[in-house]
């Protein structure tokens, strides 16, 4: 398993339950993952050497090594690896590539224009009678997207990305697109290049504070399933977005294998793609994984081998799952590290503590990042899953612990 977040801890936990898996190694892993190997996610040669020596089937968690071509490199060495090729990963690594792809394949997304020149971008914004979102083209650790409430905000966003170069070369070109006001949800599928099996639906909570206030983060909590995506909407998203994407990629000569994540905005019952990711969502992965009633390893192997359609349908626990992210105060800006974390022994059975920004030293666990862990629990209803996840979260403590208090409430209020 390549990566060090809560997503990777959750996937490793699930894979380690497979009778076909002897050992899960995690590179570089965190304070909760087993068999950590200290190789950086961007050291592709080091990872390939390790995989070769240890006869590994490799699963790539985060986007950076995918965008750098880890799958192509492993394939050249005949190493089995789950995830999309570098070309397929362009759906995430270049937002402009993804927007052009959606436009030419008639996949629903916000209308947009592309700019390199700040003056032209500003003139364009002034000519519009709707609000916009300004996006840096390249990977910017989830920060290169500025949602604007006025022309002035849009102009300052253009300057931040194109003139001040706050996101470096990722901001050499920008997208200016219509702001779509609606309800946001995550739709993730697993593909072998031909067919795509939907994962359970989920909803993230991207803002730092309750009621979706404050700056965007990597995600402060998630739950699955979400009532926002009912069966008929799921069918529309599956057919008109996911399958259309996989088939159009294939028609363009690119097999998309791996997790395809569509960030969806629903306005007036109609879904629009805000972004693609070419990996599992984090923290969506944690509740989704807890609801899996199948051997995930089989599905990863079938994705790589191109025979997903030969597997039985993926079964899901009917229960809800909720993940509450425990962060360090100050995240997503500056925060302290190296606080000792206690209380793990008091977490009730059944709840899972998926580590993210933690490290282990002398048998103790210390904070080591902004999002520190995701406490995840099942429940017969969304309401009971929320209660179980918060009851478990309260057992964990450290001096700068911070978490949202309203994870899952968006789903309850929708119900
Ligand atoms: P992205 O990284 O493209 O998903 O953008 C980050 C966040 O910005 C999304 O999760 C949305 O909340 C918001 N966002 C992105 N594009 C739009 C849009 N066209 N309209 C409204 N909100 C958007
Ligand atoms: N939770 C949002 C993401 O993984 O991109």
């Amino acid at each position: 398993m390549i990566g060090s977040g809560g997503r990777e801890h959750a996937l490793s936990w699930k894979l380690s339950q497979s009778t076909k898996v002897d050992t899960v190694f995690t590179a570089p892993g965190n304070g909760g993952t087993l068999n950590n190997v200290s190789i950086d996610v961007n050291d592709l040669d080091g990872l390939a050497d390790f995989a070769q020596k240890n006869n590994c089937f490799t699963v790539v968690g985060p986007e950076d090594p995918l965008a750098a071509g880890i799958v192509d490199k492993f394939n050249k060495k005949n190493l089995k690896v789950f995830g999309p090729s570098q070309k397929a990963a362009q759906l995430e690594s270049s937002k402009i590539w993804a927007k052009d792809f959606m436009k030419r394949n008639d996949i629903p997304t916000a209308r947009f224009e592309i700019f390199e020149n700040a003056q032209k971008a500003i003139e364009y914004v002034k000519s519009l009678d709707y609000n916009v979102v300004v996006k840096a083209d390249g990977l910017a650790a989830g920060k290169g997207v500025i949602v604007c409430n006025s022309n002035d905000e849009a102009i300052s966003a253009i300057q931040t990305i194109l003139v001040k170069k706050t996101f470096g070369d990722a901001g050499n070109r920008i997208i200016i697109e219509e702001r779509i006001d609606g309800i946001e949800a995550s739709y993730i599928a697993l593909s072998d290049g031909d067919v795509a099996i939907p994962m359970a639906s989920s909803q993230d909570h991207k803002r730092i504070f309750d009621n979706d206030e404050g700056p965007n983060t990597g995600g402060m909590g998630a739950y699955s399933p979400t009532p926002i995506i009912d069966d008929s909407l799921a069918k529309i998203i599956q057919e008109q977005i996911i399958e259309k994407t996989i088939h159009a990629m294939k028609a363009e000569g690119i097999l998309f294998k791996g997790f395809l994540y569509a960030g969806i905005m629903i306005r007036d019952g109609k879904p629009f793609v805000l972004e693609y990711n070419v990996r599992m969502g984090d923290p969506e992965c944690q509740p989704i994984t807890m609801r899996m009633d199948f051997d995930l390893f089989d599905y990863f192997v079938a994705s790589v081998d191109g025979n997903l359609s030969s597997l039985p349908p993926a079964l899901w626990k009917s229960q809800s799952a909720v993940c509450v992210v425990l962060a360090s105060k100050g995240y997503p800006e500056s925060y302290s590290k190296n606080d000792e974390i206690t209380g793990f022994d008091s977490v009730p059975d059944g709840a899972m503590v998926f580590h993210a920004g933690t490290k282990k030293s002398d048998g103790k666990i210390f904070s080591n990042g902004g999002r520190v862990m995701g406490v995840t629990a099942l429940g017969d209803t969304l309401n009971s899953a929320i209660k179980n996840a918060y009851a478990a979260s309260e057992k964990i403590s450290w001096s700068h612990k911070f978490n949202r208090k309203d994870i899952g409430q968006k789903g309850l209020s929708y119900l």
Side-chain angles (χ1 to χ4, degrees):
M1 174 67 55
I2 296 176
S4 60
R7 165 182 55 209
E8 287 78 20
H9 191 188
L11 292 174
S12 316
W13 166 76
K14 185 70 196 169
L15 289 171
S16 66
Q17 294 164 16
S18 170
T19 53
K20 292 152 198 143
V21 174
D22 291 329
T23 308
V24 180
F25 296 102
T26 321
N30 59 41
T33 49
L34 294 173
N35 307 307
N36 290 348
V37 179
S38 75
I39 306 175
D40 189 82
V41 300
N42 295 309
D43 177 4
L44 307 191
D45 288 317
L47 292 166
D49 284 346
F50 183 87
Q52 196 140 34
K53 285 192 188 112
N54 293 280
N55 189 24
C56 294
F57 178 100
T58 303
V59 176
V60 188
E63 64 274 19
D64 283 330
L66 294 168
I70 190 168
V71 169
D72 311 71
K73 185 176 267 287
F74 274 50
N75 282 340
K76 271 197 203 118
K77 295 178 187 250
N78 279 324
L79 296 168
K80 293 263 186 192
V81 58
F82 171 77
S85 66
Q86 187 170 35
K87 274 193 173 160
Q90 287 177 106
L91 281 179
E92 177 167 0
S93 64
S94 170
K95 286 185 187 289
I96 292 179
W97 195 90
K99 289 294 281 191
D100 285 335
F101 170 85
M102 285 188 269
K103 193 171 175 181
R104 67 178 174 267
N105 290 296
D106 202 20
I107 293 166
T109 189
R111 51 195 156 147
F112 69 101
E113 290 291 335
I114 291 159
F115 295 93
E116 304 181 16
N117 176 292
Q119 203 46 46
K120 286 192 179 142
I122 291 169
E123 278 161 29
Y124 172 72
V125 161
K126 286 184 177 162
S127 75
L128 300 176
D129 59 359
Y130 49 81
N131 278 315
V132 298
V133 179
V134 182
K135 301 184 173 183
D137 176 38
L139 292 179
K143 292 186 188 130
V145 172
I146 304 173
V147 181
C148 307
N149 291 310
S150 65
N151 271 1
D152 286 349
E153 282 184 28
I155 291 165
S156 122
I158 291 166
Q159 278 158 346
T160 300
I161 303 178
L162 278 183
V163 183
K164 291 185 203 140
K165 292 274 178 199
T166 303
F167 308 112
D169 284 346
N172 287 346
R173 294 193 293 163
I174 58 168
I175 299 165
I176 298 182
E177 69 179 34
E178 179 188 4
R179 191 181 91 191
I180 300 191
D181 296 316
I183 308 178
E184 205 175 336
S186 308
Y187 192 99
I188 301 165
L190 197 161
S191 181
D192 65 356
D194 251 321
V195 298
I197 297 186
M199 298 289 102
S201 67
S202 59
Q203 191 182 33
D204 189 9
H205 296 63
K206 292 201 177 180
R207 305 298 189 104
I208 184 75
F209 299 126
D210 286 5
N211 302 314
D212 288 345
E213 284 170 17
N216 259 323
T217 70
M220 293 301 293
Y223 67 94
S224 169
T226 175
I228 291 158
I229 300 185
D230 61 15
D231 288 351
S232 79
L233 186 57
K235 188 166 183 288
I236 293 172
I237 296 171
Q238 176 68 17
E239 288 170 2
Q240 295 177 17
I241 292 173
I242 298 294
E243 286 171 7
K244 216 164 167 182
T245 300
I246 300 294
H247 297 156
M249 289 289 277
K250 189 176 177 192
E252 294 190 9
I254 305 173
L255 279 190
F256 189 98
K257 297 183 176 200
F259 284 120
L260 178 64
Y261 168 135
I264 303 276
M265 188 72 90
I266 301 145
R267 182 173 69 186
D268 302 329
K270 190 174 161 10
F272 294 84
V273 179
L274 296 183
E275 61 158 351
Y276 288 112
N277 294 314
V278 298
R279 49 162 178 83
M280 254 292 180
D282 187 343
E284 293 94 322
C285 183
Q286 290 82 317
I288 289 175
T289 306
M290 273 195 89
R291 295 187 56 233
M292 288 177 177
D293 241 346
F294 53 89
D295 186 335
L296 182 60
F297 184 69
D298 286 341
Y299 286 77
F300 282 172
V301 172
S303 160
V304 174
D305 293 344
N307 56 10
L308 265 184
S309 51
S310 68
L311 289 187
L315 297 179
W316 299 91
K317 291 190 197 332
S318 59
Q319 290 162 297
S320 286
V322 171
C323 169
V324 178
V325 170
L326 310 183
S328 288
K329 244 174 235 156
Y331 173 77
E333 275 101 42
S334 57
Y335 49 82
S336 66
K337 290 184 180 178
N338 295 315
D339 296 328
E340 189 184 344
I341 307 171
T342 56
F344 296 100
D345 292 343
S346 315
V347 170
D349 284 348
M352 288 300 304
V353 179
F354 293 122
H355 289 232
T358 69
K359 64 179 180 196
K360 201 175 197 172
S361 179
D362 291 334
K364 295 177 181 164
I365 301 290
F366 296 87
S367 66
N368 189 37
R371 291 193 294 169
V372 177
M373 54 187 67
V375 180
T376 312
L378 294 165
D380 288 339
T381 60
L382 175 55
N383 204 8
S384 70
I386 292 171
K387 286 199 179 115
N388 293 341
Y390 275 102
S393 300
E394 276 155 24
K395 304 293 180 194
I396 305 274
S397 48
W398 75 92
S399 49
H400 294 91
K401 175 184 164 189
F402 168 82
N403 60 270
R404 274 180 66 157
K405 305 279 188 279
D406 66 343
I407 302 303
Q409 294 299 329
K410 287 199 271 193
L412 285 186
S413 61
Y414 194 82
L415 285 171

